[in-house]
Amino acid sequence: ANPLNFGRLGQDMNRPFEYTVGPDGRIYISCRANYHVPGGGLAVFDPKTEEKIVHRDMDQSVQSVASDDTWVYGGTSIRGGRGCIETTTEARLFMFSPTEGKRVFECIPQWGAITIGNLACSPVTGLVYGSTDTGHLFAFCPQQRRVVQRWEMNDAGTPLMGIPEAHGIIHLTCGRDGDIYGVTRREVFKLDVTTDRIVYLDQSPIPDLCQIVEGPEDGVFYIGARGHLLEYHVRETPHFR
């Protein structure tokens, strides 16, 4: 069959939000729990053995996930399955060890944020960059295990119903140049990791920007916006198609 169905992740997991390939070659999936079930989890799928494991979080769902050569990083949301009672008030960032099979560190990267919407790792700095529902970006150092810098954006992210309800998600991606590129609700921006400066690149003719990824050509990014797919050139005169 194509596609091949490997079955449910199990343990009441619903709404797989994001995926990353960890340093061990397994696929890590951030999830929310089923309706009326609290929390969520970090699911792990081994494509070689087809084994599925869920590392359950009974208090928070796992909203975002990223990885580098050593760790898997997860960002949480205080939301669980719809209809459940929230037991926490602030989102967390955690480091997950693939070799130990557990979280080895967690922190609150932005006070007052209920969701870590997106994460991206830069090989240039070795830092993890994240966005929050409060319109902030942060840089986390795995070696020091602390947030080393924060930025306040001039625009919020796009609200996506259910992930989480009505809170804006600022999507991030690491370009091949090592800088972090992202989208707010209306703007394309770059976080220059060598100068620690936010550069606002251009405004979109269509709002509600959602997701951004670099294509096979350097500096050419693809962005979702409502029912449209936008092509954005960074290195040439900025334009959308």
PDB file of all heavy atoms in Angstrom, residues 89-119:
ATOM      1  N   THR A  89      -0.229  26.727  34.091  1.00  0.00           N
ATOM      2  CA  THR A  89      -0.493  28.088  33.609  1.00  0.00           C
ATOM      3  C   THR A  89       0.522  28.593  32.591  1.00  0.00           C
ATOM      4  O   THR A  89       0.278  29.607  31.947  1.00  0.00           O
ATOM      5  CB  THR A  89      -0.522  29.074  34.785  1.00  0.00           C
ATOM      6  OG1 THR A  89       0.728  29.011  35.493  1.00  0.00           O
ATOM      7  CG2 THR A  89      -1.664  28.734  35.735  1.00  0.00           C
ATOM      8  N   GLU A  90       1.664  27.913  32.422  1.00  0.00           N
ATOM      9  CA  GLU A  90       2.689  28.409  31.502  1.00  0.00           C
ATOM     10  C   GLU A  90       3.341  27.256  30.736  1.00  0.00           C
ATOM     11  O   GLU A  90       3.510  26.152  31.267  1.00  0.00           O
ATOM     12  CB  GLU A  90       3.756  29.207  32.268  1.00  0.00           C
ATOM     13  CG  GLU A  90       3.219  30.557  32.722  1.00  0.00           C
ATOM     14  CD  GLU A  90       4.142  31.252  33.702  1.00  0.00           C
ATOM     15  OE1 GLU A  90       4.507  30.614  34.692  1.00  0.00           O
ATOM     16  OE2 GLU A  90       4.486  32.418  33.474  1.00  0.00           O
ATOM     17  N   ALA A  91       3.672  27.550  29.500  1.00  0.00           N
ATOM     18  CA  ALA A  91       4.278  26.554  28.618  1.00  0.00           C
ATOM     19  C   ALA A  91       5.736  26.317  28.985  1.00  0.00           C
ATOM     20  O   ALA A  91       6.400  27.174  29.592  1.00  0.00           O
ATOM     21  CB  ALA A  91       4.179  27.011  27.167  1.00  0.00           C
ATOM     22  N   ARG A  92       6.239  25.152  28.596  1.00  0.00           N
ATOM     23  CA  ARG A  92       7.611  24.775  28.933  1.00  0.00           C
ATOM     24  C   ARG A  92       8.385  24.340  27.694  1.00  0.00           C
ATOM     25  O   ARG A  92       7.810  23.905  26.689  1.00  0.00           O
ATOM     26  CB  ARG A  92       7.612  23.633  29.954  1.00  0.00           C
ATOM     27  CG  ARG A  92       7.019  24.022  31.294  1.00  0.00           C
ATOM     28  CD  ARG A  92       7.036  22.884  32.294  1.00  0.00           C
ATOM     29  NE  ARG A  92       6.557  23.313  33.606  1.00  0.00           N
ATOM     30  CZ  ARG A  92       7.317  23.847  34.541  1.00  0.00           C
ATOM     31  NH1 ARG A  92       8.613  23.995  34.335  1.00  0.00           N
ATOM     32  NH2 ARG A  92       6.807  24.208  35.705  1.00  0.00           N
ATOM     33  N   LEU A  93       9.684  24.456  27.791  1.00  0.00           N
ATOM     34  CA  LEU A  93      10.620  23.907  26.814  1.00  0.00           C
ATOM     35  C   LEU A  93      11.368  22.768  27.489  1.00  0.00           C
ATOM     36  O   LEU A  93      11.809  22.919  28.629  1.00  0.00           O
ATOM     37  CB  LEU A  93      11.611  24.983  26.355  1.00  0.00           C
ATOM     38  CG  LEU A  93      12.768  24.509  25.469  1.00  0.00           C
ATOM     39  CD1 LEU A  93      12.291  24.183  24.068  1.00  0.00           C
ATOM     40  CD2 LEU A  93      13.880  25.562  25.425  1.00  0.00           C
ATOM     41  N   PHE A  94      11.501  21.633  26.802  1.00  0.00           N
ATOM     42  CA  PHE A  94      12.232  20.530  27.415  1.00  0.00           C
ATOM     43  C   PHE A  94      13.262  19.933  26.460  1.00  0.00           C
ATOM     44  O   PHE A  94      13.140  20.033  25.231  1.00  0.00           O
ATOM     45  CB  PHE A  94      11.285  19.440  27.936  1.00  0.00           C
ATOM     46  CG  PHE A  94      10.482  18.717  26.879  1.00  0.00           C
ATOM     47  CD1 PHE A  94      11.026  17.655  26.161  1.00  0.00           C
ATOM     48  CD2 PHE A  94       9.165  19.072  26.632  1.00  0.00           C
ATOM     49  CE1 PHE A  94      10.283  16.972  25.204  1.00  0.00           C
ATOM     50  CE2 PHE A  94       8.408  18.396  25.682  1.00  0.00           C
ATOM     51  CZ  PHE A  94       8.970  17.349  24.970  1.00  0.00           C
ATOM     52  N   MET A  95      14.288  19.339  27.067  1.00  0.00           N
ATOM     53  CA  MET A  95      15.309  18.581  26.345  1.00  0.00           C
ATOM     54  C   MET A  95      15.043  17.100  26.578  1.00  0.00           C
ATOM     55  O   MET A  95      14.906  16.664  27.726  1.00  0.00           O
ATOM     56  CB  MET A  95      16.716  18.942  26.835  1.00  0.00           C
ATOM     57  CG  MET A  95      17.104  20.385  26.637  1.00  0.00           C
ATOM     58  SD  MET A  95      18.677  20.807  27.452  1.00  0.00           S
ATOM     59  CE  MET A  95      19.823  19.721  26.598  1.00  0.00           C
ATOM     60  N   PHE A  96      14.984  16.331  25.498  1.00  0.00           N
ATOM     61  CA  PHE A  96      14.720  14.898  25.589  1.00  0.00           C
ATOM     62  C   PHE A  96      15.945  14.145  25.093  1.00  0.00           C
ATOM     63  O   PHE A  96      16.499  14.449  24.025  1.00  0.00           O
ATOM     64  CB  PHE A  96      13.498  14.537  24.743  1.00  0.00           C
ATOM     65  CG  PHE A  96      13.106  13.089  24.801  1.00  0.00           C
ATOM     66  CD1 PHE A  96      12.207  12.635  25.744  1.00  0.00           C
ATOM     67  CD2 PHE A  96      13.651  12.172  23.909  1.00  0.00           C
ATOM     68  CE1 PHE A  96      11.836  11.298  25.796  1.00  0.00           C
ATOM     69  CE2 PHE A  96      13.296  10.831  23.952  1.00  0.00           C
ATOM     70  CZ  PHE A  96      12.388  10.397  24.896  1.00  0.00           C
ATOM     71  N   SER A  97      16.394  13.160  25.874  1.00  0.00           N
ATOM     72  CA  SER A  97      17.558  12.363  25.507  1.00  0.00           C
ATOM     73  C   SER A  97      17.104  11.092  24.786  1.00  0.00           C
ATOM     74  O   SER A  97      16.435  10.243  25.392  1.00  0.00           O
ATOM     75  CB  SER A  97      18.359  11.976  26.751  1.00  0.00           C
ATOM     76  OG  SER A  97      19.325  10.996  26.442  1.00  0.00           O
ATOM     77  N   PRO A  98      17.451  10.915  23.507  1.00  0.00           N
ATOM     78  CA  PRO A  98      17.085   9.686  22.805  1.00  0.00           C
ATOM     79  C   PRO A  98      17.750   8.446  23.407  1.00  0.00           C
ATOM     80  O   PRO A  98      17.172   7.356  23.363  1.00  0.00           O
ATOM     81  CB  PRO A  98      17.569   9.932  21.376  1.00  0.00           C
ATOM     82  CG  PRO A  98      17.626  11.420  21.228  1.00  0.00           C
ATOM     83  CD  PRO A  98      18.045  11.906  22.582  1.00  0.00           C
ATOM     84  N   THR A  99      18.940   8.589  23.972  1.00  0.00           N
ATOM     85  CA  THR A  99      19.631   7.425  24.532  1.00  0.00           C
ATOM     86  C   THR A  99      19.023   7.003  25.866  1.00  0.00           C
ATOM     87  O   THR A  99      18.913   5.802  26.154  1.00  0.00           O
ATOM     88  CB  THR A  99      21.131   7.741  24.734  1.00  0.00           C
ATOM     89  OG1 THR A  99      21.269   8.912  25.551  1.00  0.00           O
ATOM     90  CG2 THR A  99      21.797   7.998  23.388  1.00  0.00           C
ATOM     91  N   GLU A 100      18.594   7.968  26.677  1.00  0.00           N
ATOM     92  CA  GLU A 100      17.987   7.659  27.969  1.00  0.00           C
ATOM     93  C   GLU A 100      16.483   7.461  27.872  1.00  0.00           C
ATOM     94  O   GLU A 100      15.868   6.898  28.776  1.00  0.00           O
ATOM     95  CB  GLU A 100      18.291   8.758  28.975  1.00  0.00           C
ATOM     96  CG  GLU A 100      19.771   8.945  29.275  1.00  0.00           C
ATOM     97  CD  GLU A 100      20.010  10.047  30.273  1.00  0.00           C
ATOM     98  OE1 GLU A 100      19.473   9.948  31.397  1.00  0.00           O
ATOM     99  OE2 GLU A 100      20.712  11.019  29.934  1.00  0.00           O
ATOM    100  N   GLY A 101      15.878   7.950  26.784  1.00  0.00           N
ATOM    101  CA  GLY A 101      14.441   7.812  26.620  1.00  0.00           C
ATOM    102  C   GLY A 101      13.624   8.615  27.605  1.00  0.00           C
ATOM    103  O   GLY A 101      12.540   8.200  28.024  1.00  0.00           O
ATOM    104  N   LYS A 102      14.112   9.812  27.970  1.00  0.00           N
ATOM    105  CA  LYS A 102      13.371  10.633  28.923  1.00  0.00           C
ATOM    106  C   LYS A 102      13.817  12.093  28.820  1.00  0.00           C
ATOM    107  O   LYS A 102      14.849  12.412  28.224  1.00  0.00           O
ATOM    108  CB  LYS A 102      13.609  10.141  30.350  1.00  0.00           C
ATOM    109  CG  LYS A 102      15.050  10.286  30.821  1.00  0.00           C
ATOM    110  CD  LYS A 102      15.207   9.810  32.271  1.00  0.00           C
ATOM    111  CE  LYS A 102      16.636  10.013  32.762  1.00  0.00           C
ATOM    112  NZ  LYS A 102      16.799   9.568  34.172  1.00  0.00           N
ATOM    113  N   ARG A 103      13.001  12.963  29.414  1.00  0.00           N
ATOM    114  CA  ARG A 103      13.382  14.366  29.515  1.00  0.00           C
ATOM    115  C   ARG A 103      14.504  14.516  30.538  1.00  0.00           C
ATOM    116  O   ARG A 103      14.453  13.923  31.616  1.00  0.00           O
ATOM    117  CB  ARG A 103      12.186  15.218  29.960  1.00  0.00           C
ATOM    118  CG  ARG A 103      11.012  15.196  29.002  1.00  0.00           C
ATOM    119  CD  ARG A 103       9.922  16.153  29.468  1.00  0.00           C
ATOM    120  NE  ARG A 103       8.702  15.991  28.690  1.00  0.00           N
ATOM    121  CZ  ARG A 103       7.638  16.775  28.795  1.00  0.00           C
ATOM    122  NH1 ARG A 103       7.637  17.775  29.674  1.00  0.00           N
ATOM    123  NH2 ARG A 103       6.571  16.563  28.051  1.00  0.00           N
ATOM    124  N   VAL A 104      15.484  15.323  30.190  1.00  0.00           N
ATOM    125  CA  VAL A 104      16.601  15.541  31.112  1.00  0.00           C
ATOM    126  C   VAL A 104      16.629  16.971  31.645  1.00  0.00           C
ATOM    127  O   VAL A 104      17.383  17.269  32.574  1.00  0.00           O
ATOM    128  CB  VAL A 104      17.944  15.211  30.423  1.00  0.00           C
ATOM    129  CG1 VAL A 104      18.007  13.734  30.067  1.00  0.00           C
ATOM    130  CG2 VAL A 104      18.154  16.071  29.181  1.00  0.00           C
ATOM    131  N   PHE A 105      15.806  17.852  31.050  1.00  0.00           N
ATOM    132  CA  PHE A 105      15.766  19.240  31.524  1.00  0.00           C
ATOM    133  C   PHE A 105      14.507  19.890  30.980  1.00  0.00           C
ATOM    134  O   PHE A 105      14.065  19.575  29.874  1.00  0.00           O
ATOM    135  CB  PHE A 105      16.993  20.026  31.047  1.00  0.00           C
ATOM    136  CG  PHE A 105      16.986  21.466  31.460  1.00  0.00           C
ATOM    137  CD1 PHE A 105      17.358  21.838  32.741  1.00  0.00           C
ATOM    138  CD2 PHE A 105      16.595  22.456  30.565  1.00  0.00           C
ATOM    139  CE1 PHE A 105      17.337  23.170  33.130  1.00  0.00           C
ATOM    140  CE2 PHE A 105      16.582  23.790  30.951  1.00  0.00           C
ATOM    141  CZ  PHE A 105      16.949  24.146  32.237  1.00  0.00           C
ATOM    142  N   GLU A 106      13.938  20.806  31.756  1.00  0.00           N
ATOM    143  CA  GLU A 106      12.837  21.622  31.256  1.00  0.00           C
ATOM    144  C   GLU A 106      12.827  22.954  31.977  1.00  0.00           C
ATOM    145  O   GLU A 106      13.333  23.077  33.104  1.00  0.00           O
ATOM    146  CB  GLU A 106      11.493  20.917  31.386  1.00  0.00           C
ATOM    147  CG  GLU A 106      11.024  20.636  32.790  1.00  0.00           C
ATOM    148  CD  GLU A 106       9.662  19.951  32.801  1.00  0.00           C
ATOM    149  OE1 GLU A 106       9.264  19.366  31.779  1.00  0.00           O
ATOM    150  OE2 GLU A 106       8.999  20.017  33.859  1.00  0.00           O
ATOM    151  N   CYS A 107      12.259  23.964  31.297  1.00  0.00           N
ATOM    152  CA  CYS A 107      12.215  25.301  31.865  1.00  0.00           C
ATOM    153  C   CYS A 107      11.035  26.057  31.269  1.00  0.00           C
ATOM    154  O   CYS A 107      10.400  25.602  30.311  1.00  0.00           O
ATOM    155  CB  CYS A 107      13.518  26.061  31.592  1.00  0.00           C
ATOM    156  SG  CYS A 107      13.800  26.449  29.851  1.00  0.00           S
ATOM    157  N   ILE A 108      10.737  27.213  31.850  1.00  0.00           N
ATOM    158  CA  ILE A 108       9.735  28.129  31.301  1.00  0.00           C
ATOM    159  C   ILE A 108      10.503  29.215  30.543  1.00  0.00           C
ATOM    160  O   ILE A 108      11.128  30.079  31.175  1.00  0.00           O
ATOM    161  CB  ILE A 108       8.879  28.739  32.421  1.00  0.00           C
ATOM    162  CG1 ILE A 108       8.092  27.639  33.146  1.00  0.00           C
ATOM    163  CG2 ILE A 108       7.919  29.786  31.849  1.00  0.00           C
ATOM    164  CD1 ILE A 108       7.350  28.115  34.372  1.00  0.00           C
ATOM    165  N   PRO A 109      10.504  29.196  29.213  1.00  0.00           N
ATOM    166  CA  PRO A 109      11.345  30.139  28.469  1.00  0.00           C
ATOM    167  C   PRO A 109      10.785  31.552  28.385  1.00  0.00           C
ATOM    168  O   PRO A 109      11.527  32.494  28.155  1.00  0.00           O
ATOM    169  CB  PRO A 109      11.411  29.507  27.074  1.00  0.00           C
ATOM    170  CG  PRO A 109      10.156  28.724  26.954  1.00  0.00           C
ATOM    171  CD  PRO A 109       9.844  28.224  28.336  1.00  0.00           C
ATOM    172  N   GLN A 110       9.459  31.703  28.554  1.00  0.00           N
ATOM    173  CA  GLN A 110       8.838  33.024  28.477  1.00  0.00           C
ATOM    174  C   GLN A 110       7.682  33.078  29.460  1.00  0.00           C
ATOM    175  O   GLN A 110       6.683  32.377  29.303  1.00  0.00           O
ATOM    176  CB  GLN A 110       8.333  33.300  27.056  1.00  0.00           C
ATOM    177  CG  GLN A 110       7.621  34.630  26.891  1.00  0.00           C
ATOM    178  CD  GLN A 110       8.555  35.828  27.086  1.00  0.00           C
ATOM    179  OE1 GLN A 110       9.660  35.866  26.543  1.00  0.00           O
ATOM    180  NE2 GLN A 110       8.119  36.813  27.852  1.00  0.00           N
ATOM    181  N   TRP A 111       7.831  33.908  30.480  1.00  0.00           N
ATOM    182  CA  TRP A 111       6.773  34.018  31.486  1.00  0.00           C
ATOM    183  C   TRP A 111       5.497  34.535  30.844  1.00  0.00           C
ATOM    184  O   TRP A 111       5.512  35.470  30.056  1.00  0.00           O
ATOM    185  CB  TRP A 111       7.214  34.937  32.619  1.00  0.00           C
ATOM    186  CG  TRP A 111       8.398  34.429  33.372  1.00  0.00           C
ATOM    187  CD1 TRP A 111       9.668  34.936  33.358  1.00  0.00           C
ATOM    188  CD2 TRP A 111       8.438  33.290  34.240  1.00  0.00           C
ATOM    189  NE1 TRP A 111      10.496  34.182  34.162  1.00  0.00           N
ATOM    190  CE2 TRP A 111       9.765  33.164  34.715  1.00  0.00           C
ATOM    191  CE3 TRP A 111       7.481  32.369  34.658  1.00  0.00           C
ATOM    192  CZ2 TRP A 111      10.159  32.164  35.586  1.00  0.00           C
ATOM    193  CZ3 TRP A 111       7.871  31.358  35.530  1.00  0.00           C
ATOM    194  CH2 TRP A 111       9.184  31.263  35.984  1.00  0.00           C
ATOM    195  N   GLY A 112       4.377  33.913  31.186  1.00  0.00           N
ATOM    196  CA  GLY A 112       3.082  34.335  30.679  1.00  0.00           C
ATOM    197  C   GLY A 112       2.658  33.661  29.400  1.00  0.00           C
ATOM    198  O   GLY A 112       1.505  33.783  28.985  1.00  0.00           O
ATOM    199  N   ALA A 113       3.562  32.933  28.746  1.00  0.00           N
ATOM    200  CA  ALA A 113       3.217  32.232  27.496  1.00  0.00           C
ATOM    201  C   ALA A 113       2.547  30.903  27.825  1.00  0.00           C
ATOM    202  O   ALA A 113       3.007  30.169  28.696  1.00  0.00           O
ATOM    203  CB  ALA A 113       4.465  31.997  26.658  1.00  0.00           C
ATOM    204  N   ILE A 114       1.476  30.590  27.107  1.00  0.00           N
ATOM    205  CA  ILE A 114       0.809  29.311  27.328  1.00  0.00           C
ATOM    206  C   ILE A 114       1.161  28.288  26.243  1.00  0.00           C
ATOM    207  O   ILE A 114       0.797  27.125  26.363  1.00  0.00           O
ATOM    208  CB  ILE A 114      -0.716  29.467  27.417  1.00  0.00           C
ATOM    209  CG1 ILE A 114      -1.314  29.868  26.070  1.00  0.00           C
ATOM    210  CG2 ILE A 114      -1.101  30.466  28.500  1.00  0.00           C
ATOM    211  CD1 ILE A 114      -2.825  29.751  26.015  1.00  0.00           C
ATOM    212  N   THR A 115       1.880  28.733  25.206  1.00  0.00           N
ATOM    213  CA  THR A 115       2.230  27.825  24.118  1.00  0.00           C
ATOM    214  C   THR A 115       3.596  28.166  23.539  1.00  0.00           C
ATOM    215  O   THR A 115       3.883  29.336  23.261  1.00  0.00           O
ATOM    216  CB  THR A 115       1.198  27.904  22.974  1.00  0.00           C
ATOM    217  OG1 THR A 115      -0.081  27.526  23.459  1.00  0.00           O
ATOM    218  CG2 THR A 115       1.567  26.971  21.836  1.00  0.00           C
ATOM    219  N   ILE A 116       4.450  27.160  23.384  1.00  0.00           N
ATOM    220  CA  ILE A 116       5.664  27.290  22.581  1.00  0.00           C
ATOM    221  C   ILE A 116       5.270  26.818  21.183  1.00  0.00           C
ATOM    222  O   ILE A 116       5.173  25.625  20.913  1.00  0.00           O
ATOM    223  CB  ILE A 116       6.815  26.438  23.144  1.00  0.00           C
ATOM    224  CG1 ILE A 116       7.000  26.711  24.641  1.00  0.00           C
ATOM    225  CG2 ILE A 116       8.096  26.708  22.364  1.00  0.00           C
ATOM    226  CD1 ILE A 116       7.281  28.145  24.990  1.00  0.00           C
ATOM    227  N   GLY A 117       5.018  27.759  20.301  1.00  0.00           N
ATOM    228  CA  GLY A 117       4.395  27.441  19.024  1.00  0.00           C
ATOM    229  C   GLY A 117       5.288  26.743  18.033  1.00  0.00           C
ATOM    230  O   GLY A 117       4.811  25.904  17.265  1.00  0.00           O
ATOM    231  N   ASN A 118       6.574  27.070  18.025  1.00  0.00           N
ATOM    232  CA  ASN A 118       7.469  26.509  17.018  1.00  0.00           C
ATOM    233  C   ASN A 118       8.901  26.544  17.535  1.00  0.00           C
ATOM    234  O   ASN A 118       9.261  27.418  18.329  1.00  0.00           O
ATOM    235  CB  ASN A 118       7.361  27.309  15.727  1.00  0.00           C
ATOM    236  CG  ASN A 118       7.401  26.453  14.469  1.00  0.00           C
ATOM    237  OD1 ASN A 118       7.909  26.864  13.438  1.00  0.00           O
ATOM    238  ND2 ASN A 118       6.868  25.243  14.521  1.00  0.00           N
ATOM    239  N   LEU A 119       9.725  25.613  17.057  1.00  0.00           N
ATOM    240  CA  LEU A 119      11.130  25.522  17.437  1.00  0.00           C
ATOM    241  C   LEU A 119      11.988  25.297  16.203  1.00  0.00           C
ATOM    242  O   LEU A 119      11.551  24.662  15.234  1.00  0.00           O
ATOM    243  CB  LEU A 119      11.358  24.367  18.412  1.00  0.00           C
ATOM    244  CG  LEU A 119      10.687  24.435  19.775  1.00  0.00           C
ATOM    245  CD1 LEU A 119      10.831  23.104  20.502  1.00  0.00           C
ATOM    246  CD2 LEU A 119      11.275  25.561  20.618  1.00  0.00           C
TER     247      LEU A 119
END
